[in-house]
Amino acid sequence: MKVSRRNLLKQTGAAVAGTAALTALPRIAPSAKAQETVKLQVWKAPHTTDDQKFFDDALATFTSQNPGVEVEYRVTPWATWQETYTAAFAGDSPPDISYVVDSFFPKYSDAGALVDLSKLDGADLSKWEPLFDPSIWARGTRKGGTYGLPFMTGGSAFVWNKKLFSEAGLDPETPPATWDELVGWAEKLTKPDGSQYGYSIFDDTTGEALNFYPIPMVNYGGNLANDDNTKWLANSPAHIQGLQLQVDLIKNKFAPPIGMFVGHDMDKAFLDGKIAMQLSLSQFIFPLLKDYPDFELGSAVPPSGPLNNQSVGGTGYWMMAEKSKHKAEAWAVMEYLTSAEVMTSYSQLSTLFQTRNDIDPFVDQPLVSAFAKTQKNYTLLPSMPFDYWTILNPEAIAAFSGQKSAEDALNPAAQVINDRLSQG
């Protein structure tokens, strides 16, 4: 059995219209037993309800060009991701290839469960690395090793209603440069009768608040934990200032009371002109825009704090299990899944964003392409052996609800998280 460059280029569509040709793929030596069928497993948590069909079809194309290789695709729910993958990597038969988000993989790579691709025979990373933004490539590396090929990225961007900016005498093409400036603009964009707010803060009804409120905290105070994730830092005076700024926006009525717009009602309120500025995700906004053909959307990276203008988001990588018995074939599948054609098609399906710099899945959708340009500047979220968001989120929501100050919210959360860390 041989997975040849020629065959692989056939199914990757060697070039997608308007894109660069796929990086040359390595030849893989035949298996020891020519008659033996190589069976691989690929696991991924879903980003659409059509994930199973999409990847079944894509992998069927691969296997049709590579007789003797079978690939089984499995959807693994996000809700049980940690338990599922921890058990799998601890066992004898983990998936050969997994889609792993940057903040999830360190505990597996550190335990020796993932392949360092820079040491994999036949994997020429020098042909792949130039296709990606350096910050994206770097997030799949750890302790000198390279563990993944970047596939999808998605995170929060700053969005605004250009029409409301114009009505308030603000430049509709220029967002506030800093969070301090945003506060002043939010006041100008707020109407006293409560019909329009300058800014909004997402509640946690859907469990998605973690994508937004930590951003000013990071912009003021930096990473939420230290580099080796052994100490929680996000109750420093600077982090507190980043949270308190948001508490004050609500207190001063420049942002709606927390829970006034429940869950994704916030997105509709934004598109209805009741909110002028907010942090949002592409999958929140773009599915609704078809009902608002005249909406003038602005998008940019978040405003800057004193330290940075980083956002919260994640990049997902195809990674290989060290226990895979067919690493050469698994590498060929990883290269195929990271091809221009597969990445373009999945970006269009999911409205997540491509990691390759040589393709533009949304070339005919200027609003989406503009949003895509905001998707590189992510802070690296801590990777810990427990879910710290279930500790931090309720405290942040209590502050937004006026029950606590930012300091009184962040201090107990930090105490609990650091106590958990000290217990190993």
Side-chain angles (χ1 to χ4, degrees):
M1 183 283 300
K2 178 158 62 178
V3 183
S4 71
R5 178 179 185 272
R6 179 180 178 184
N7 281 342
L8 285 169
L9 287 178
K10 284 182 182 178
Q11 73 260 340
T12 58
V16 176
T19 68
L22 177 66
T23 300
L25 302 181
R27 289 182 175 272
I28 297 176
S31 61
K33 298 179 181 180
Q35 302 302 316
E36 180 183 356
T37 296
V38 171
K39 296 182 179 181
L40 302 174
Q41 286 195 334
V42 177
W43 289 9
K44 179 183 172 297
H47 289 103
T48 80
T49 56
D50 294 322
D51 270 30
Q52 186 74 52
K53 183 180 187 309
F54 177 91
F55 286 103
D56 281 347
D57 290 348
L59 291 167
T61 300
F62 177 88
T63 57
S64 71
Q65 299 292 333
N66 296 281
V69 179
E70 294 181 4
V71 186
E72 177 186 358
Y73 178 78
R74 175 182 167 186
V75 172
T76 53
W78 287 109
T80 54
W81 197 98
Q82 296 282 0
E83 298 91 331
T84 299
Y85 285 75
T86 298
F89 284 123
D92 293 328
S93 301
D96 299 271
I97 301 163
S98 305
Y99 176 88
V100 188
V101 179
D102 48 18
S103 61
F104 289 0
F105 85 87
K107 72 177 182 179
Y108 302 116
S109 63
D110 289 0
L114 297 173
V115 172
D116 178 355
L117 301 176
S118 66
K119 298 178 181 177
L120 179 66
D121 287 344
D124 185 356
L125 298 186
S126 68
K127 298 178 180 179
W128 282 97
E129 185 174 355
L131 296 176
F132 305 95
D133 183 85
S135 68
I136 294 294
W137 184 265
R139 292 169 72 86
T141 67
R142 182 167 172 84
K143 297 181 178 180
T146 299
Y147 291 93
L149 288 182
F151 184 55
M152 287 289 118
T153 191
S156 298
F158 183 75
V159 296
W160 67 94
N161 184 322
K162 291 184 179 182
K163 180 181 177 182
L164 298 186
F165 269 41
S166 296
E167 291 175 353
L170 300 169
D171 181 354
E173 304 301 327
T174 305
T178 67
W179 284 103
D180 287 343
E181 188 174 52
L182 179 142
V183 172
W185 289 28
E187 182 175 9
K188 292 180 181 179
L189 290 159
T190 297
K191 293 184 177 179
D193 63 2
S195 62
Q196 179 180 307
Y197 291 92
Y199 185 72
S200 67
I201 296 167
F202 206 82
D203 71 4
D204 205 32
T205 304
T206 61
E208 294 166 305
L210 59 89
N211 292 294
F212 310 114
Y213 77 82
I215 293 175
M217 293 171 57
V218 168
N219 299 158
Y220 276 79
N223 289 343
L224 302 178
N226 62 357
D227 289 344
D228 60 3
N229 299 315
T230 58
K231 184 177 181 181
W232 187 260
L233 304 176
N235 65 326
S236 72
H239 288 102
I240 290 169
Q241 188 178 0
L243 185 64
Q244 188 65 45
L245 178 143
Q246 300 170 82
V247 171
D248 290 343
L249 281 166
I250 296 174
K251 181 179 179 181
N252 292 328
K253 300 182 179 179
F254 303 154
I258 198 73
M260 178 178 178
F261 300 109
V262 177
H264 293 287
D265 289 346
M266 184 78 75
D267 308 310
K268 191 172 186 300
F270 172 68
L271 294 172
D272 284 336
K274 297 176 182 178
I275 294 164
M277 304 179 288
Q278 63 179 20
L279 294 167
S280 191
L281 296 168
S282 61
Q283 59 264 44
F284 291 4
I285 295 294
F286 290 112
L288 301 175
L289 268 180
K290 64 182 183 298
D291 296 325
Y292 297 84
D294 298 324
F295 191 89
E296 299 177 49
L297 179 72
S299 60
V301 296
S304 289
L307 199 60
N308 61 55
N309 68 337
Q310 291 180 354
S311 184
V312 167
T315 300
Y317 299 77
W318 297 116
M319 297 188 174
M320 188 188 303
E322 185 61 51
K323 292 180 181 178
S324 173
K325 297 178 176 63
H326 305 287
K327 291 184 173 65
E329 292 84 359
W331 172 244
V333 173
M334 288 174 63
E335 291 193 296
Y336 167 67
L337 290 173
T338 317
S339 68
E341 184 176 68
V342 173
M343 189 179 294
T344 295
S345 297
Y346 191 69
S347 291
Q348 292 168 342
L349 175 68
S350 64
T351 324
L352 289 172
F353 296 105
Q354 72 280 6
T355 52
R356 291 176 61 139
N357 289 329
D358 61 336
I359 62 174
D360 184 357
F362 308 105
V363 65
D364 297 324
Q365 302 177 59
L367 288 179
V368 186
S369 287
F371 199 102
K373 295 176 182 177
T374 72
Q375 299 296 297
K376 298 176 181 178
N377 200 24
Y378 302 149
T379 187
L380 188 61
L381 293 173
S383 177
M384 294 180 175
F386 56 89
D387 185 1
Y388 50 85
W389 295 115
T390 60
I391 301 168
L392 183 62
N393 287 354
E395 295 290 348
I397 297 301
F400 295 145
S401 300
Q403 301 171 40
K404 294 184 174 184
S405 68
E407 183 175 9
D408 290 340
L410 294 184
N411 279 338
Q415 183 68 53
V416 172
I417 294 171
N418 280 320
D419 284 348
R420 291 282 299 274
L421 289 172
S422 67
Q423 294 165 11

